[in-house]
Amino acid sequence: MSAYSLLCTLANEIALLESTAATLGWDQETYMPPKALEHRAQQMGYLGGKGHALFTLRKFRLLLDKAEGEELQPVQAANVREWRRLNNRSIRLSKRLVEEFSIASSRAKAAWVEARKNSDFAQFAPHLDKLVQLTRKKAEKWSYTTEPYDALLDEFEPGAQAVQISTLFDSLRPQLSALAKEAVVRSAGVPAHALEGDYPVHLQQQLNREVAESIGFDFEGGRIDTTTHPFCTKLGPHDQRLTTRYDPKDFTSSLFGILHEAGHGLYEQGLPPADYGLPSGTFVSLGIHESQSRLWENHVGRSRPFWERWLPRAKEIFPALTLSLEDFLRALHRAEFSFIRVEADEATYDLHILLRFLLERRMLNRELKIKDLPQAWNEQFEDLFGLTPPDNARGCLQDIHWSMGALGYFPTYTLGNLNAAQLYHAAQQVPAIAEACAAAEYVPLLGWLRHHIHSKGATLTSGELITAATGSPTDASWHLAHLRSRFLG
Ligand code: ZN
């Protein structure tokens, strides 16, 4: 047997462990009763530890050495390259550091839930301080050339560097700020609660399912369940789970949640199932993953043709819905400066990301003390949005990410927005796709994404993937043009 085949066997074993953990994780967020938590934490810790141990075995590295000398097909060679990159990162962290981080983050998450409830930063501060210290330690083990943030970005967006992200945001900031201000002014006449009505949950579920099916989500290989924090998770090559939450007063909240998560799910369903567990059967980066969710949520789901088709159907399902198409679209495209990122509209969303990037980079570079975070957050918020958060729950305590130790993650949301606009624009250059989208038919668009993005797995870097699909590397101009046409057009 070749070293490559033996690596595939080990990778398959790791994938079995990881997908078992994913199944337990999905259950924990959906149906698990509260008293099951302690045992579940032990199960997750056990499976995570086993997977890490297999991947960092000396045997795995020896096989990699051998496979690098074997004659391989291009996809096989790409898998070996990616395994080497991931393995180099994994072996640098000691078991002790991994365990310490896991314990610190589970404590921090619990403390964060309480701190947010009480809007009391002091309850969370020592935990965040510990996580930032441990994160800096991890970055040092991984090593970096310029600053710790680079090593962290590499986990979520391989190859990205803090200085590039910083340059990108520096150039985006004045344009985004001006655009957001203008969009907010233009939205002044649109009532804030125009979409409010009576939308029973079971009827929302019916519409959501019809919409998800119509954009190509395969319910024979996936399902939708209810959760408090919506997410999408893959439990196996033909098992894609979406989750959402329901607001009985506003059906668009769960529907856009489903369009977003189905965008993630379509990407996962489009990865080659035969390569499950191998890099060629795995998503390439979070910036690409998020481009898929944003494309379906914003470019498709908030477009006029989409609602020309779906508003009449929504009115059949919900007798309470009587808005005209024009009023409905105006309500959907209303911009406002608000405190909470996850509720922000497209016009203001990236400013929320910019703020988090600036602050986490300063925390990691020891330029900002943890105890000073609330004040720094509020000053930065005032600067970007012209508002001061009334409390820390609506300020620096609102996101779960830092409590999980996920520092370096936020920029992938804006990268996702940029990539989504660029990919959508490139796809629209194909006349058959543009015509179909204008009639709210999305089979050709999905086919294009399958071909250019999904089927490639992680055989190319995200930069190579975007360049191959669109003709140029990630470029902010398409996103800005999209926002201008939507909010100022
Ligand atoms: Zn997402």
Side-chain angles (χ1 to χ4, degrees):
M1 247 180 141
S2 67
Y4 179 79
S5 309
L6 291 167
L7 282 169
C8 289
T9 309
L10 274 174
N12 182 51
E13 198 177 336
I14 295 169
L16 287 171
L17 287 166
E18 285 178 347
S19 56
T20 306
T23 309
L24 295 176
W26 168 83
D27 174 68
Q28 185 173 336
E29 299 297 326
T30 49
Y31 297 109
M32 189 186 81
K35 285 181 181 171
L37 184 63
E38 183 51 39
H39 185 66
R40 182 56 45 89
Q42 286 183 36
Q43 291 174 307
M44 298 290 274
Y46 176 81
L47 290 167
K50 281 274 171 202
H52 181 78
L54 274 179
F55 191 54
T56 52
L57 277 181
R58 204 173 115 78
K59 183 176 157 196
F60 200 98
R61 287 201 299 288
L62 293 175
L63 286 170
L64 272 178
D65 293 343
K66 267 198 193 163
E68 279 164 352
E70 287 175 346
E71 204 150 310
L72 298 172
Q73 302 291 327
V75 169
Q76 297 174 329
N79 283 338
V80 171
R81 257 199 322 273
E82 186 62 6
W83 276 326
R84 177 63 83 187
R85 188 185 72 79
L86 294 167
N87 189 264
N88 278 342
R89 281 177 72 82
S90 290
I91 56 174
R92 290 185 187 189
L93 301 188
S94 67
K95 189 163 171 267
R96 192 163 153 244
L97 181 55
V98 171
E99 281 170 3
E100 202 182 347
F101 195 87
S102 154
I103 293 166
S105 59
S106 56
R107 286 185 187 143
K109 202 169 152 190
W112 168 77
V113 170
E114 282 303 300
R116 189 170 77 150
K117 208 191 297 167
N118 305 327
S119 198
D120 177 13
F121 182 71
Q123 280 184 285
F124 180 52
H127 297 278
L128 181 59
D129 194 39
K130 175 89 183 165
L131 279 177
V132 170
Q133 283 179 42
L134 288 172
T135 301
R136 221 184 271 125
K137 208 185 255 184
K138 274 165 72 173
E140 257 127 48
K141 298 278 180 201
W142 281 325
S143 90
Y144 51 84
T145 37
T146 317
E147 57 181 276
Y149 204 90
D150 293 339
L152 307 177
L153 266 174
D154 221 38
E155 180 90 340
F156 309 112
E157 191 62 30
Q161 300 230 300
V163 66
Q164 292 170 330
I165 304 282
S166 176
T167 309
L168 174 73
F169 274 126
D170 283 348
S171 70
L172 271 175
R173 181 175 177 160
Q175 305 182 71
L176 279 174
S177 284
L179 197 149
K181 277 197 189 100
E182 173 83 30
V184 170
V185 169
R186 289 194 187 203
S187 297
V190 183
H193 304 292
L195 293 170
E196 273 192 13
D198 179 21
Y199 305 108
V201 169
H202 72 281
L203 297 180
Q204 294 190 37
Q205 287 171 331
Q206 185 185 329
L207 177 66
N208 293 351
R209 190 181 166 104
E210 286 179 24
V211 168
E213 244 162 3
S214 86
I215 64 169
F217 187 78
D218 175 10
F219 280 92
E220 292 292 305
R223 50 179 283 141
I224 301 175
D225 293 273
T226 305
T227 183
T228 29
H229 302 287
F231 62 95
C232 166
T233 183
K234 185 172 196 153
L235 309 187
H238 300 286
D239 192 353
Q240 195 58 47
R241 306 300 176 96
L242 314 181
T243 65
T244 193
R245 59 180 164 209
Y246 299 90
D247 177 352
K249 286 207 179 79
D250 181 358
F251 75 96
T252 64
S253 163
S254 74
L255 178 62
F256 284 109
I258 281 302
L259 277 163
H260 182 97
E261 300 308 335
H264 285 303
L266 287 170
Y267 183 14
E268 293 286 344
Q269 288 186 333
L271 293 166
D275 290 13
Y276 179 70
L278 309 181
S280 52
T282 307
F283 71 91
V284 58
S285 75
L286 291 187
I288 296 295
H289 227 309
E290 194 66 7
S291 76
Q292 301 305 293
S293 56
R294 299 283 172 176
L295 186 148
W296 291 102
E297 177 191 0
N298 291 332
H299 293 269
V300 170
R302 293 182 199 274
S303 71
R304 173 179 287 271
F306 181 88
W307 287 103
E308 281 171 353
R309 170 173 172 188
W310 285 101
L311 189 60
R313 177 65 188 135
K315 285 180 174 176
E316 276 171 22
I317 295 178
F318 307 119
L321 181 60
T322 54
L323 288 175
S324 69
L325 178 66
E326 297 309 320
D327 286 344
F328 184 80
L329 287 172
R330 257 195 293 278
L332 217 54
H333 299 157
R334 180 176 176 276
E336 102 183 291
F337 286 123
S338 58
F339 297 111
I340 306 293
R341 174 185 62 86
V342 295
E343 293 163 10
D345 50 73
E346 282 181 278
T348 56
Y349 188 87
D350 295 296
L351 296 175
H352 289 271
I353 301 302
L354 168 62
L355 172 133
R356 286 151 178 79
F357 169 67
L358 293 172
L359 294 177
E360 62 183 11
R361 193 179 181 203
R362 285 174 57 202
M363 286 193 281
L364 283 156
N365 286 342
R366 298 179 207 272
E367 293 159 12
L368 172 62
K369 292 203 176 84
I370 303 302
K371 70 172 174 56
D372 299 329
L373 177 64
Q375 197 193 338
W377 179 290
N378 291 353
E379 284 169 7
Q380 192 66 252
F381 202 89
E382 173 72 42
D383 200 26
L384 284 166
F385 296 83
L387 301 167
T388 305
D391 49 42
N392 289 327
R394 279 171 281 184
C396 67
L397 285 174
Q398 65 180 272
D399 294 305
I400 196 171
H401 301 61
W402 289 341
S403 79
M404 306 184 324
L407 290 109
Y409 185 123
F410 281 117
T412 66
Y413 288 131
T414 285
L415 292 174
N417 283 335
L418 305 188
N419 290 331
Q422 192 167 333
L423 289 168
Y424 191 74
H425 177 268
Q428 296 303 308
Q429 304 316 300
V430 181
I433 296 178
E435 275 167 37
C437 286
E441 290 292 344
Y442 301 107
V443 174
L445 175 63
L446 180 59
W448 189 91
L449 292 168
R450 289 265 191 260
H451 175 71
H452 289 282
I453 305 292
H454 307 173
S455 62
K456 310 286 185 213
T459 57
L460 301 175
T461 66
S462 55
E464 290 166 346
L465 194 63
I466 289 293
T467 305
T470 69
S472 65
T474 302
D475 172 351
S477 61
W478 304 113
H479 180 53
L480 289 166
H482 159 72
L483 293 179
R484 275 191 205 103
S485 108
R486 176 150 293 169
F487 290 94
L488 312 182

